[in-house]
Amino acid sequence: MANIVDIEEFAKDGKEVPTHGVEYRFKVGNKLLIWSEPTITGKQILELAQLIPVTQYQLNQKFKHGVVEPIELTEVVELTRKGLERFTYMKLDQTEGSK
């Protein structure tokens, strides 16, 4: 079994997240998830968190010191990025007249 690295703990401690030989534990909202690769797409994060259909959610990455950046579905996220703590999401409202 591979070592599991909690990216939030590493971010809070200011430590570098290993880039290989580990699995990555992270939160999406209140869900705790594990991924075996150092990179993941926005779509894969939403699918892993069972937020389906993925097009109905806005995904964000939250960093130490409160910095928040949006993530596109096709964007590749580096789980080893320094300061990355967790992911948040928001269900998108259906706008009137949209198809």
Side-chain angles (χ1 to χ4, degrees):
M1 183 175 155
N3 289 331
I4 297 175
V5 170
D6 188 310
I7 66 169
E8 187 169 9
E9 287 178 16
F10 272 66
K12 288 182 176 178
D13 293 342
K15 295 190 291 189
E16 296 285 332
V17 177
T19 57
H20 61 280
V22 299
E23 290 186 323
Y24 303 90
R25 179 171 46 214
F26 56 90
K27 284 184 184 172
V28 178
N30 291 324
K31 298 176 183 183
L32 201 53
L33 305 172
I34 294 179
W35 188 251
S36 60
E37 300 293 323
T39 59
I40 187 170
T41 65
K43 181 178 185 231
Q44 288 172 316
I45 293 170
L46 290 170
E47 289 173 341
L48 195 61
Q50 298 178 340
L51 298 168
I52 309 290
V54 295
T55 54
Q56 290 186 4
Y57 294 90
Q58 169 58 55
L59 184 64
N60 301 297
Q61 50 191 340
K62 183 184 175 296
F63 294 89
K64 192 173 179 178
H65 307 301
V67 175
V68 176
E69 296 178 359
I71 302 170
E72 299 297 324
L73 292 177
T74 58
E75 187 175 342
V76 175
V77 176
E78 298 278 342
L79 295 175
T80 59
R81 187 168 165 192
K82 190 166 177 74
L84 176 59
E85 290 185 342
R86 61 174 57 224
F87 299 94
T88 60
Y89 64 90
M90 182 175 54
K91 190 159 175 49
L92 299 173
D93 291 332
Q94 293 286 354
T95 55
E96 200 171 311
S98 67
K99 295 181 182 179

